[in-house]
Amino acid sequence: MRKLNIKTSIVFIAIGMLLFLGCKKTDLLSNTDKDYEYLPQDVEQSCVVTDAEFKTWFKGGTVTENGLVEPANSVTFPHNNNCDFYKWSEQMFLWITSPTSSGSYKSGGTVMESPVFYNVSAADKNGNRVLTPHAPNTIMSAVGNIEQTGPNRLPIVFDKSGKMFEVEPQEKNEAVKDAANKSVVVGKIIANANGLHSFVDTKGKAISGPKAIIAGKVHPENIVQEFKQGNKIILLDSKGNIIDTEQGQAGSSGALVASNNSLVYYITMVNDVYAYFLTGIKDKTLKAKEFPTTAAARDSILAYAKLKGFAPPPDPDALAMELKTSWVEAKDLPNAETYITIKAKIPVYDKTDPKLWKLTDKTTVTTLALVGMHVVGSVAGHPEMIWATFEHLKNAPNTAYSYTDVNGKVKQVKGDTGKGWLFNDNANDTVGGQNIQNMTVVNDTLNTDVIKIVNPALNSSKVRRIMAWGVASDTIPNAEDKTPANSNSEIISINNAVRKMLVGNDIRKNYLLIGATWTSGGVVPNGYSYPYNGTPPTPGNAIGTGRLANTTMETFFQAPSSNAVASSGTNAVTSCLYCHGYSLDPRTKNGISHIFSDIRALPTNMKNLPKLK
């Protein structure tokens, strides 16, 4: 190749600079080399990682392209400020997604594919789940929907103001309380010409002032009772209000389709420390009542693993970790080279009826591309765990947000527009019609999952991230960040720092930390986000980015980016720690982990499991 002379080089550089300065933000999305410019680059450096510290994250102390990152030390986690939590989240994500083919992992893929992690099965008809150990060259299994439940493990719906409710399904001979506070069995529900509903008892007499009888114990004010009248579902709360919801079917889970026509698939995993801890708790050898956070707790798990003949964890200081991951088929995927991929088994649906996809007993092996991940882990001082979430940068457009620049000035970023988003065909439509559930996962009469499609001409690819970096637009996110702009700046600056220090074409540059949440002082989550109170008044203790949602996992459960109705408790039901909380004891069914109580213990005879070197 001929060398360019100096004059020619200067011309090319000048042209390149003009082209760059003329680019719009959405144009940069199509340029992999400049993808980091999608984030504001003049942001206040309120959360950064130094070059020296970043090098220590990598095995061998040198930053290498797609190199192996060590897990964060959760036993010595400092928890001095918000940035400590965000750095822990970033390091854990880089570790989990590190490619590895040697050493203690020997997976031939990423760390999450190695024997360090176990797959968690979907619940069977009895609600039981099992752990499947990862072994080299084995194929993981994914499912076509993710369970969305509230703190009482009940299905979730939102009313038209954005408030979230849990739904208690209708039972035979369902009763309500009348105006005299007596229990009366409902015979039927009648709607008049104005659409108002009347509850009638089994003798045909109208029930005066009917109110739902709620069984759930956690936030019963946010639970509604389901009543079915023909094809219509009526939702009644404990005060006698009929709740008008956005969703066509109460208590349903949504399925999501990407622009390449792939269904979104999900895999839940836990690490070896979590699996051994769970098994020790369930055989009553371990007596702990919260997830491990100390060296002593770690050592008790290691001693238990040795006693039972389990393979010793290569990274015990990572403590207990739970992952929820989301994937799409890599086939026909734009910019496929920017995604972390795995081979996995996915379910096959019979799509003969375009409005009703039926799950078959067949599976097929395909290449899946990672689009989202919840990283959850216990750390020193925080048995409630850190709840962090990551997304591929081309998933969905952001709603408008603010940040603080290097001069302390608050700047506004307009909502993203344009095309090229995986879950939004045309982001220019910024008003209305966003995050509408078009596909519903239900059980048919044979107890088989089916996907009902409202309109076959549409898919679910009109998604928008309502709260760009996990906080509402008009709230005080936490004691350290007095404005949303301050909080957003922390997340943006840590993303910028990490992505700039990853070298070459490291594939992990294409993923963004959306935020992380935890509780102040590591106390039991009470369901409310700082600083607002719920009903009855209870100070919120979920901090960090306490309004967090992942567009691939909480797609249809994103509340408005406003706390204008905080006094009614609406804001309290949009935190990860609204659904995951109320008890630090993992054995509690409605406690921190929604899967812990359902998972069966590992077999004590571990001869058939892979041994780590």
Side-chain angles (χ1 to χ4, degrees):
M1 181 180 292
R2 290 184 301 172
K3 294 183 180 180
L4 295 174
N5 61 40
I6 295 175
K7 184 181 292 185
T8 305
S9 299
I10 293 173
V11 171
F12 273 105
I13 292 170
I15 292 172
M17 290 181 67
L18 287 172
L19 289 172
F20 172 75
L21 293 172
C23 284
K24 297 179 181 179
K25 180 174 59 176
T26 51
D27 293 335
L28 292 168
L29 287 170
S30 61
N31 187 336
T32 303
D33 293 336
K34 298 295 183 182
D35 269 342
Y36 66 84
E37 297 291 355
Y38 168 58
L39 303 181
Q41 296 301 294
D42 63 343
V43 67
E44 178 184 13
Q45 301 300 296
S46 51
C47 182
V48 297
V49 184
T50 65
D51 288 338
E53 182 181 6
F54 194 64
K55 288 177 181 177
T56 67
W57 291 11
F58 281 75
K59 191 172 184 64
T62 301
V63 180
T64 56
E65 181 178 299
N66 295 317
L68 177 60
V69 170
E70 303 274 17
N73 191 323
S74 297
V75 177
T76 60
F77 177 70
H79 57 92
N80 294 318
N81 50 45
N82 292 347
C83 193
D84 286 334
F85 291 86
Y86 301 144
K87 287 195 290 186
W88 177 94
S89 303
E90 289 274 17
Q91 186 174 351
M92 283 303 195
F93 177 78
L94 294 177
W95 168 58
I96 291 161
T97 56
S98 289
T100 177
S101 57
S102 61
S104 59
Y105 302 108
K106 293 191 175 179
S107 64
T110 56
V111 170
M112 65 179 150
E113 297 169 79
S114 76
V116 170
F117 284 91
Y118 291 72
N119 258 38
V120 180
S121 73
D124 63 19
K125 62 181 180 180
N126 296 317
N128 295 318
R129 301 172 184 266
V130 296
L131 296 174
T132 303
H134 293 179
N137 304 313
T138 57
I139 303 295
M140 289 189 280
S141 296
V143 296
N145 65 85
I146 190 169
E147 182 183 0
Q148 297 281 8
T149 60
N152 295 282
R153 305 292 295 275
L154 295 170
I156 295 171
V157 294
F158 280 84
D159 70 9
K160 290 190 175 180
S161 72
K163 184 172 182 178
M164 190 168 73
F165 293 88
E166 287 186 276
V167 182
E168 290 187 352
Q170 183 175 4
E171 298 179 358
K172 188 177 180 180
N173 299 322
E174 192 68 73
V176 296
K177 287 184 178 180
D178 64 11
N181 210 33
K182 292 182 179 180
S183 179
V184 181
V185 175
V186 177
K188 60 181 178 179
I189 302 173
I190 301 173
N192 64 18
N194 296 321
L196 299 176
H197 294 86
S198 299
F199 286 70
V200 178
D201 65 19
T202 54
K203 297 180 180 179
K205 182 180 177 181
I207 301 173
S208 176
K211 300 179 180 63
I213 301 173
I214 302 300
K217 302 300 182 183
V218 181
H219 291 300
E221 73 278 4
N222 293 328
I223 303 176
V224 292
Q225 180 65 58
E226 176 187 64
F227 294 90
K228 295 179 180 178
Q229 185 63 33
N231 293 325
K232 188 171 180 60
I233 293 174
I234 308 299
L235 301 178
L236 184 71
D237 71 9
S238 59
K239 295 181 179 180
N241 301 310
I242 292 178
I243 305 302
D244 191 7
T245 67
E246 289 284 4
Q247 297 178 19
Q249 180 163 351
S252 60
S253 294
L256 182 64
V257 167
S259 60
N260 67 337
N261 294 317
S262 169
L263 195 64
V264 178
Y265 299 95
Y266 302 93
I267 303 175
T268 301
M269 310 176 205
V270 298
N271 71 338
D272 44 15
V273 176
Y274 185 113
Y276 299 164
F277 173 72
L278 176 143
T279 302
I281 291 294
K282 296 207 169 184
D283 73 11
K284 299 184 179 179
T285 302
L286 298 177
K287 306 299 182 183
K289 294 184 178 180
E290 60 184 38
F291 280 109
T293 60
T294 65
R298 174 204 61 201
D299 292 344
S300 68
I301 296 169
L302 292 176
Y304 173 77
K306 184 176 181 180
L307 176 68
K308 295 297 182 180
F310 294 170
D315 303 296
D317 289 342
L319 296 181
M321 299 201 69
E322 180 179 324
L323 310 179
K324 290 184 179 178
T325 60
S326 53
W327 310 79
V328 296
E329 292 182 74
K331 182 181 179 181
D332 299 324
L333 186 63
N335 304 304
E337 72 282 357
T338 66
Y339 292 83
I340 294 165
T341 59
I342 62 169
K343 289 286 186 182
K345 295 178 185 177
I346 59 173
V348 174
Y349 287 87
D350 178 355
K351 301 179 182 179
T352 305
D353 183 347
K355 288 190 175 183
L356 192 68
W357 296 359
K358 297 179 180 179
L359 182 65
T360 70
D361 58 0
K362 298 178 181 178
T363 60
T364 186
V365 176
T366 189
T367 300
L368 294 181
L370 180 69
V371 291
M373 180 183 290
H374 288 328
V375 177
V376 182
S378 62
V379 301
H382 289 273
E384 84 286 6
M385 310 178 109
I386 299 174
W387 299 73
T389 199
F390 292 80
E391 296 195 45
H392 191 276
L393 58 84
K394 292 188 175 76
N395 273 0
N398 280 326
T399 298
Y401 64 89
S402 60
Y403 71 95
T404 305
D405 71 8
V406 290
N407 298 313
K409 181 181 178 182
V410 175
K411 290 187 175 180
Q412 303 294 324
V413 177
K414 295 181 179 179
D416 292 317
T417 57
K419 298 185 178 181
W421 306 98
L422 187 59
F423 297 104
N424 198 312
D425 297 324
N426 188 351
N428 291 324
D429 182 10
T430 59
V431 180
Q434 305 289 338
N435 305 331
I436 302 300
Q437 184 175 316
N438 185 50
M439 306 176 71
T440 299
V441 181
V442 297
N443 287 97
D444 64 11
T445 55
L446 298 176
N447 198 36
T448 300
D449 279 347
V450 297
I451 297 179
K452 289 187 176 181
I453 295 133
V454 177
N455 187 343
L458 302 173
N459 60 23
S460 300
S461 300
K462 205 174 185 183
V463 175
R464 181 172 285 275
R465 190 178 299 110
I466 302 302
M467 284 166 274
W469 309 110
V471 297
S473 59
D474 57 354
T475 186
I476 302 172
N478 50 71
E480 287 185 38
D481 296 319
K482 301 304 182 183
T483 68
N486 295 150
S487 179
N488 292 339
S489 296
E490 288 187 320
I491 302 298
I492 296 168
S493 62
I494 187 65
N495 273 305
N496 282 341
V498 168
R499 296 171 77 213
K500 286 180 180 178
M501 285 188 286
L502 288 171
V503 299
N505 292 315
D506 197 305
I507 201 164
R508 294 166 293 189
K509 288 183 179 181
N510 300 298
Y511 293 86
L512 299 173
L513 170 68
I514 305 303
T517 188
W518 59 93
T519 65
S520 177
V523 298
V524 181
N526 63 8
Y528 302 122
S529 297
Y530 182 94
Y532 293 97
N533 296 334
T535 305
T538 307
N541 61 18
I543 59 173
T545 56
R547 299 289 297 274
L548 202 55
N550 187 298
T551 57
T552 68
M553 288 183 260
E554 290 85 30
T555 315
F556 311 111
F557 300 96
Q558 298 183 73
S561 182
S562 170
N563 278 317
V565 287
S567 60
S568 69
T570 299
N571 84 296
V573 296
T574 55
S575 166
C576 300
L577 297 176
Y578 171 74
C579 294
H580 298 271
Y582 314 101
S583 173
L584 294 177
D585 190 336
R587 297 169 297 183
T588 305
K589 194 171 182 66
N590 61 352
I592 290 295
S593 174
H594 281 189
I595 61 174
F596 190 96
S597 61
D598 297 338
I599 298 174
R600 299 178 65 179
L602 290 170
T604 54
N605 180 0
M606 301 294 286
K607 291 180 180 179
N608 61 325
L609 296 187
K611 296 293 184 180
L612 301 180
K613 301 295 184 182

